[in-house]
Amino acid sequence: MTVAATRHRRTPVDWSAVRALVERDLRAVRRSKAVVIPMLMVPVLLLVVLPLLVGMAARSASNSNGAEGFLESLPAQLAEPIAALPPEEQLLTLVLGYLLAPLFLIVPLMVSAVIAADAFAGEKERRTIETLLHLPMADRDLFLAKLLTGFVPAVAVSWIGFAVYAVVANAVAWSVIDGPIVPNGLWLVMIFWVAPGIAALGLGVMVRVSARTRTTQEANQLGGAVILPLIFLAVGQSTGILLVDLPIALGIGAAVWLVAVILVARGAARFTRDRIAG
């Protein structure tokens, strides 16, 4: 490594430049209907409309002890704590407290992927890429700004969506269950620790894909091949996180963050303006 490269790596992050670029990109995101509509509509459908409809159906079924058939088909680890509840509380707790949990890890992954796909490919489509590449900031700071542009909205939408979901779920079950269904300690770990890690994981993939493509549509198509398996993995693991104890849940989140940091670090190390321009 040359002396110049070593000095470049030791240069502190220019946070004022990063913040200015993030603010500029967020304004562009707000003006893009192709980004805003799926970023808002999908969380509303997943975290408000679907829980409301499913919760109301589960509440009706609870009045007729409709949980027995569901519990018989569930793993014992999940069925036993729910079976210990009063019959009228079982189905609501199962549906709103556990089975809809995968929705929360889909949201940060989806939102981060949508915004990250626009990170560089969108600049090329809007023909602003040359202006971006001539900004007086280090490559590392430019890459960091693009990551934060996707990470901040993804986490914000997830946290706001979770707050709305908690209100909807607890309102639906209010007259049936004595006390809130969500949140509890494990839910909080999933929302505030695992979900941001999932968002960072998606960004680590999609920003690199966006840098290699010419259009947002192409970035979404190529990124979908990588993001879809991550979505399936998130769906498969989120309910499991709620069935383990707190230290294991924290460990799962740490593993997600470790993979995300490795992907982001490798992406930052390989990121150069020349590659984007090429």
Side-chain angles (χ1 to χ4, degrees):
M1 182 181 297
T2 65
V3 175
T6 302
R7 290 177 178 174
H8 174 72
R9 289 179 179 274
R10 291 179 179 177
T11 303
V13 175
D14 186 352
W15 288 109
S16 61
V18 170
R19 182 170 60 253
L21 183 55
V22 170
E23 292 173 352
R24 170 248 194 197
D25 285 352
L26 289 178
R27 288 194 295 269
V29 167
R30 288 196 298 268
R31 291 194 297 265
S32 175
K33 293 182 180 180
V35 176
V36 171
I37 290 176
M39 188 175 71
L40 296 181
M41 290 302 297
V42 173
V44 168
L45 291 174
L46 291 178
L47 302 181
V48 179
V49 178
L50 183 59
L52 181 61
L53 296 177
V54 173
M56 294 299 293
R59 179 172 175 171
S60 299
S62 295
N63 295 331
S64 58
N65 294 331
E68 295 180 359
F70 288 100
L71 293 177
E72 292 176 357
S73 61
L74 294 176
Q77 188 178 11
L78 176 58
E80 289 177 0
I82 296 176
L85 297 173
E88 66 275 9
E89 298 182 10
Q90 292 177 357
L91 191 57
L92 275 171
T93 301
L94 172 65
V95 172
L96 297 177
Y98 292 92
L99 297 186
L100 294 183
L103 304 180
F104 295 99
L105 297 187
I106 293 176
V107 170
L109 190 56
M110 183 276 300
V111 173
S112 64
V114 168
I115 297 178
D118 187 69
F120 294 105
E123 299 277 2
K124 296 173 185 177
E125 282 187 306
R126 294 187 292 270
R127 299 186 178 181
T128 57
I129 189 66
E130 291 186 2
T131 302
L132 176 70
L133 297 181
H134 284 88
L135 290 175
M137 58 191 305
D139 291 353
R140 174 203 55 200
D141 296 352
L142 177 58
F143 186 82
L144 176 61
K146 288 298 185 180
L147 284 176
L148 291 176
T149 299
F151 184 77
V152 172
V155 173
V157 170
S158 300
W159 288 356
I160 294 172
F162 171 71
V164 174
Y165 174 84
V167 171
V168 171
N170 292 324
V172 169
W174 185 259
S175 62
V176 177
I177 298 178
D178 184 17
I181 294 179
V182 291
N184 56 37
L186 290 174
W187 268 99
L188 295 177
V189 169
M190 187 173 75
I191 296 303
F192 294 107
W193 176 236
V194 180
I198 290 290
L201 184 63
L203 285 169
V205 174
M206 287 301 297
V207 168
R208 295 174 68 179
V209 170
S210 179
R212 288 171 168 78
T213 54
R214 295 184 179 275
T215 65
T216 304
Q217 183 178 4
E218 184 181 354
N220 282 318
Q221 290 174 344
L222 294 176
V226 179
I227 293 298
L228 282 177
L230 293 179
I231 289 177
F232 292 136
L233 179 62
V235 170
Q237 293 298 320
S238 58
T239 302
I241 294 172
L242 296 175
L243 298 178
V244 299
D245 56 21
L246 197 58
I248 296 178
L250 291 170
I252 293 173
V256 172
W257 272 107
L258 178 62
V259 175
V261 168
I262 291 173
L263 288 176
V264 169
R266 292 185 63 183
R270 297 181 179 181
F271 177 82
T272 64
R273 282 175 163 83
D274 292 338
R275 291 189 178 185
I276 301 298

